[in-house]
Amino acid sequence: MSEHRRSAELFARARKVIPGGVNSPVRSFAAVGGEPLFFARGAGSRIYDVDGNEYVDCVCSWGPLILGHAHPRVVERVQRAVRDGTSFGACVEAEVRLAELLAGAVPGIEMVRLVNSGTEAVMSAIRLARAYTQRQDIIKFEGCYHGHSDGLLARAGSGVATLGLPDSPGVPADYTAHTLLAPYNDLEAVRAIVERRGDAIAAIIVEPVAGNMGVVPPREGFLDGLRRVAADSGALLIFDEIITGFRVGWGGAQELYGVTPDLTALGKIIGGGFPVGAYGGRRDIMEMVAPAGPVYQAGTLSGNPVAMAAGLETLRALGEPGTYEALDNTAASLEAGLLQAASSAGADAAISLNRVGSMLTLFFSARSPADYASAKAADTERYGRFFRGMLERGVYLPPSQFEAIFVSTAHTAEDIGVIGQAAEAALRAA
Ligand SMILES: *Cc1c(COP(=O)(O)O)cnc(C)c1O
């Protein structure tokens, strides 16, 4: 048994002054049993808790750390930025460079506004879509998470699903009344909504690869279909690429699937481990954002030079030739290793694995989930036992069945071997 005494002490203190002891509910181990660990250090693919235990990290800060922890180039660049002053609340060159890079990389982005989190990015994109279309309703998909802003907390996946909470109290029903829900991958349901109230729909928002009910890929034709329905009804199509942007490829899911949305929300990877979000899209829409236009949105620390430095250096490293092929190879060998482990442990009949590039989920479910209902049917008790067995064997998985495993460029063949061996033993015991 590895020792978790310091973590336990810190958690006891944390619970007295922080609700639930955590600053984001997904960090709690409520869904898998036990108490959250406190981490002291990360290097490459490995993280070290405050009791000195080492883990292969499969969470990577929920996706941002696609280069692994404390990548030397990012650290060096951030140190230089800090020395030059951490914030001006005024314009700096790095924000122009990051905006240019995003507009150059992501097919649907001609102009972009930088913000401080994914939540802020989506919230602002929705406001803009409503202003542009002069309509109020939005269509969102069950199990997709778009941050914790009021109107979007309806069947919002992961954190909410994990804790079994209904839509959050404190959200006025008037807000969510404008949020219409459809099952993921169900184009017919979307068509039916649009038939009923098409002229009221400002936007259809979707995770082009769902990552917040566990990884659920779009069915053939789903994203294409949304593109057509949106265009025909005068609604904007918004891709929430906060996970998939620079994850499933340089141009995100919109490049991978060849479907260009009107607006795109980004976050996570583009901040290289610092708090950054962005929303961008067609020039005629983005020109409506203040001060170019009337749609207000602002941020004291937006475009912060330290965060820009981390994001830029991360994207530069990612942009080097062969990076995504290598990531995909590592993720494919992890997929093969996990499936082999399941088979050796005699657990393969009860397990399915969904993967798109370097994001994947091992579901304790015989059939591969295609929407929220089928994802939720997974055996979360067994996932909890598996999670604890992996932790005990030095592998840190997401503390919820409804989250993605993220592979970084720092993960090595040795790491994949460690995960595979741990998985075989943990699956036998689970
Ligand atoms: C993480 C995430 C968000 C919210 O981003 P924060 O930076 O946590 O506010 C929104 N949408 C998706 C798809 C996400 O995965």
Side-chain angles (χ1 to χ4, degrees), residues 117-119 122 145-147 207 212 240 242-243 268:
S117 71
T119 294
V122 179
Y145 177 65
H146 302 296
E207 287 182 73
N212 285 290
D240 180 345
I242 289 167
I243 288 180
K268 298 198 166 109

Side-chain angles (χ1 to χ4, degrees), residues 127-161:
R127 179 183 302 150
L128 178 58
R130 285 180 166 144
Y132 182 84
T133 58
Q134 298 178 30
R135 298 169 173 188
Q136 295 204 327
D137 294 353
I138 57 171
I139 297 178
K140 103 172 254 301
F141 295 92
E142 295 168 8
C144 284
Y145 177 65
H146 302 296
H148 65 88
S149 69
D150 283 344
L152 293 167
L153 273 185
R155 310 267 169 85
S158 57
V160 183

Side-chain angles (χ1 to χ4, degrees), residues 335-357:
E335 174 179 11
L338 287 170
L339 291 176
Q340 177 60 48
S343 155
S344 305
D348 40 347
I351 271 170
S352 59
L353 192 148
N354 284 355
R355 175 173 82 87
V356 177

